[in-house]
Amino acid sequence: MNGSTVVAANGEPAHHAEPKAAASTRARWVWWTLGGITAAAVVLRFFNLANGGLWYDELIMARLTAGSWDAVWTEIGLGRPPVCPVAGKLWADVFGHSDIALRSLSALLGVASVPVLFFIARRLFDGRVALLAAGLLAVSPYQIYYSQEHRYYALFLLLCLTSILLLLRVLGVGDSTTTANKSRNPWLWVGYVLTSALAFYTHTFTLFLLSSIGIAVLAIYKSRTLSPGRMRQFLISQVAIMGLILPWGLLKLGVWQRVTLGTAADSSALVAPWISSPPWWAPVRTVGNFLFLGVKYLSEPWVIAALVMLAAGLGWGLVRCGGPLRWVGTLTQAVKEAWTPRRGAWWIAAAWAVGPLLMVMVLSYAVRPIYNDRYLMASTAGLYVLVAAGVVALARVVPMWATVGVLLLGMTGSLTTYYQQPDKGAWAEAAAWLDGQLEGDEALAFSSERGIGRENANVRANWFWYAQRGGDQENVEINVRNDFTTVVGDLKRLADAHNGVWLVLWRDPDESIGLKDKFPAGTVDGLELTESKVFFDLTLLRFESRGQEIAVSAGRSAAGPAAETQNNSENRY
């Protein structure tokens, strides 16, 4: 990177001369292919976009973006990163608040990430790797899942990708002699700093991505392929980024609120009580989820077809190389040839894909649990680049038709399952059902199974996004994590004052309290469970007062751990 020709982070020319006619034909083919990949991304992200309706987390964002600007600023003051709520509010004010309108923003942002990743991968490696990486992003079930949600993650990914692309440009990675001077434009540095700060103000896990990429840049500098001048500029940019994000860091720690408001920060904005300590193999699971969304989405016929294709590809490679020993030798040579000229590119891709996962894993054990796959969304694209580069590098020992086929078959199976069973929520369906059941003198109670106060309030507010009835009837929040006798008493008081009470319970996806099972004889302390209905992540329970204590001992014994049910399904994202 020291001369006028800078390149793939390794000191070697990134683009070799070729006849103009051949170069022109190749360029047209690349652009047409990228256009096709982007078109596929559009179709996959907008297909069945409103399926299932909004779920719990989406409904919180929907209520925020449909409300007043004062509500947006208040929520930001409580610790919610500001970029997504502001962008969502602007979008909703123009396009409306229907499920499709709200989710369309994420879908469009998800589509925009595809060409951005192409340009990144082309600078790091070459056109083949870039097209394959963009293709993986376009058809990834994980990406489509979050591009069909009215939440942070599509915007978070796009801003992180834009930050990385600008960084590669200002460092001169992948520059040719004709583009080297353009990379010295100081406004590119400004763009990199501002985009990185915006990414942080979208999701604080941007800090782990910036740290990982910084380590890779330091490794490149140590290998003497990055000029001291550009290294100084990079360090200055990091200081500028830290200066821009420091105010938000202070707010998240509660310092700003204590100084300006005289109160402590809302604990729910600073901790994530729903996140438990990750198992030691969590990064391996995360990589699999980034590619195939999750084990529960894998389709057996598609997996079998993928394994058959992989076996055929390995057999083809063995035959082509002339046996196992020569295959191993060819593999070793292919690895050396791929690594040596592009060490810097491999460093960046590996740090991008793996660095944030390891950092968050360490902090989850050393400080408090914060490991969550979706919070590491920025690493997904790095993984796609790393996989694409590996597929191209090893094409001599395992043909690309086999490796690419395995990935596409696995992703297609998962995507088919996702479209058929989105497994996000059923709030619209549940609200419509209860609208048909609710009588005029029935009360409503709301709770989250986790018993977190702010979640109980959100369940109540979310419900009336879709529900047409019940808003003018008594509706309250209760805490089902209280002592069972207290829960029964809360429901009994409501049932006594009305012609029954409906409990809308948002179920804990990891550990259900099994409230229904605590009424085995139907009546406990004069409270009878008369009806129950399950809608994926919601349980609706109707209770009536019978005015006397029946089966008290049975009810209380059922409240013990033996009566609780454990939901061992795969983690929902």
Side-chain angles (χ1 to χ4, degrees), residues 39 53 55 86 107-108 130 138 161-162 194 237 310 333 349 384 397 433 453 514 523 537 545 551 564:
W55 70 287
V86 170
L108 288 173
L161 289 177
T162 305
L194 292 178
S237 72
L310 178 60
Q333 184 64 27
Y384 303 146
V397 291
W433 182 84
T523 304
D537 60 342
S545 175
E564 295 189 0

Side-chain angles (χ1 to χ4, degrees), residues 129-146:
V129 172
L131 287 174
L132 181 53
L136 292 176
L137 178 62
V139 303
S140 164
Y142 195 84
Q143 298 299 327
I144 293 166
Y145 186 101
Y146 285 106

Side-chain angles (χ1 to χ4, degrees), residues 57 61 76 79-87 109 142 146 149-161 163 193-211 241-242 244-246 248-249 252 268-272 274-275 290 356 360 363-364 368-379 573:
D57 284 357
M61 185 63 68
I76 291 171
R80 185 177 294 277
V83 174
C84 190
V86 170
L109 295 172
Y142 195 84
Y146 285 106
E149 284 197 352
H150 181 50
R151 301 186 69 200
Y152 296 79
Y153 302 108
L155 176 60
F156 176 38
L157 177 63
L158 179 60
L159 288 172
C160 288
L161 289 177
S163 169
V193 170
L194 292 178
T195 305
S196 300
L198 284 173
F200 181 84
Y201 279 92
T202 301
H203 203 293
T204 52
F205 271 43
T206 301
L207 187 62
F208 300 115
L209 174 68
L210 295 176
S211 301
I241 293 170
M242 291 300 109
L244 289 176
I245 69 178
L246 180 60
W248 188 251
K252 289 294 286 185
S268 63
L270 300 177
V271 298
W274 55 87
I275 299 179
F290 285 172
V360 174
L363 287 175
S364 292
R368 65 176 176 84
I370 58 173
Y371 193 100
N372 190 300
D373 288 356
R374 61 178 179 262
Y375 297 169
L376 296 160
M377 176 63 74
S379 291
Y573 305 99

Side-chain angles (χ1 to χ4, degrees), residues 551-571:
V552 176
S553 60
R556 286 178 179 164
S557 65
E564 295 189 0
T565 59
Q566 175 78 25
N567 183 349
N568 291 315
S569 61
E570 289 294 321
N571 182 38

Side-chain angles (χ1 to χ4, degrees), residues 409-433:
L409 286 171
M411 289 181 172
T412 301
S414 295
L415 194 55
T416 301
T417 303
Y418 164 66
Y419 283 139
Q420 294 172 346
Q421 304 169 5
D423 284 359
K424 291 186 177 181
W427 290 71
E429 182 184 359
W433 182 84

Side-chain angles (χ1 to χ4, degrees), residues 198-328:
L198 284 173
F200 181 84
Y201 279 92
T202 301
H203 203 293
T204 52
F205 271 43
T206 301
L207 187 62
F208 300 115
L209 174 68
L210 295 176
S211 301
S212 299
I213 296 295
I215 292 172
V217 171
L218 180 60
I220 295 170
Y221 175 70
K222 289 294 185 180
S223 65
R224 301 181 184 277
T225 54
L226 181 64
S227 68
R230 287 192 169 174
M231 188 63 191
R232 283 194 298 271
Q233 291 174 323
F234 173 74
L235 294 176
I236 292 171
S237 72
Q238 302 309 294
V239 174
I241 293 170
M242 291 300 109
L244 289 176
I245 69 178
L246 180 60
W248 188 251
L250 295 177
L251 175 61
K252 289 294 286 185
L253 292 173
V255 175
W256 191 9
Q257 281 137 319
R258 291 189 181 95
V259 172
T260 61
L261 303 177
T263 60
D266 181 4
S267 61
S268 63
L270 300 177
V271 298
W274 55 87
I275 299 179
S276 57
S277 296
W280 63 267
W281 45 268
V284 176
R285 180 203 65 198
T286 299
V287 169
N289 291 346
F290 285 172
L291 291 172
F292 305 113
L293 187 56
V295 173
K296 69 177 182 180
Y297 288 96
L298 289 172
S299 174
E300 184 175 344
W302 291 92
V303 170
I304 293 174
L307 292 176
V308 170
M309 179 166 285
L310 178 60
L314 288 172
W316 183 92
L318 288 170
V319 171
R320 183 185 182 188
C321 293
L325 292 180
R326 291 188 177 181
W327 185 88
V328 172

